Amino acid sequence: MRHGRAKLARRTLQFYRLNTQSVHSPYKVLVDGTFLVASIKQKVPLKERFEKTLQHESFTFYIARSTLDELKSLIEQMKKQRNSIDEETLEALEQARQFGLDECEILETSDVQSSS
């Protein structure tokens, strides 16, 4: 990571550490399906990138069950319409779902606390 981006990330993390009690290591990173598909299409190494951004602090990826279900339904839908899509998109969706299953802790609806 370039010096400017590393410095900005360090300052941002320090600001939140000092001004809030809820933001601290180990960080919990909630991953979205669209984000996963885009990062896999662009071949971005997520773990290494997040390690650099979070200054080598510990973190855990989380993904919602609904996101995994959405990725699964998109894969099935695209397999039915195989002639209208490209193979790269289908492969990216499958890899994103597998990343969510392997590398992320899955959040169920009962795990989410309401803010009210």
Side-chain angles (χ1 to χ4, degrees):
M1 184 183 300
R2 294 200 181 263
H3 178 70
R5 280 187 282 178
K7 185 176 180 181
L8 181 63
R10 191 171 44 253
R11 282 186 172 182
T12 303
L13 288 173
Q14 183 178 16
F15 171 82
Y16 283 109
R17 263 190 235 115
L18 294 173
N19 293 316
T20 64
Q21 277 68 37
S22 61
V23 179
H24 53 79
S25 179
Y27 298 103
K28 298 175 182 175
V29 180
L30 183 63
V31 182
D32 181 51
T34 310
F35 173 74
L36 272 179
V37 172
S39 63
I40 287 173
K41 270 187 168 181
Q42 300 299 321
K43 296 180 177 73
V44 176
L46 286 179
K47 283 196 176 201
E48 292 83 15
R49 195 64 68 95
F50 273 97
E51 279 181 3
K52 287 180 182 178
T53 303
L54 296 174
Q55 304 292 305
H56 301 285
E57 298 275 344
S58 61
F59 65 93
T60 307
F61 285 123
Y62 287 91
I63 190 165
R65 171 67 63 190
S66 59
T67 303
L68 288 173
D69 294 340
E70 179 185 358
L71 286 172
K72 183 179 178 181
S73 68
L74 281 173
I75 291 168
E76 290 171 359
Q77 186 180 36
M78 288 189 167
K79 283 183 178 179
K80 288 179 185 175
Q81 304 169 352
R82 193 176 275 289
N83 58 354
S84 64
I85 62 143
D86 58 68
E87 197 64 34
E88 181 182 327
T89 304
L90 182 62
E91 184 179 323
L93 280 169
E94 289 174 348
Q95 287 179 352
R97 185 164 190 281
Q98 195 59 46
F99 182 89
L101 289 170
D102 293 343
E103 306 293 329
C104 303
E105 291 189 26
I106 299 171
L107 288 176
E108 301 291 342
T109 319
S110 59
D111 295 339
V112 179
Q113 299 172 354
S114 65
S115 59
S116 43

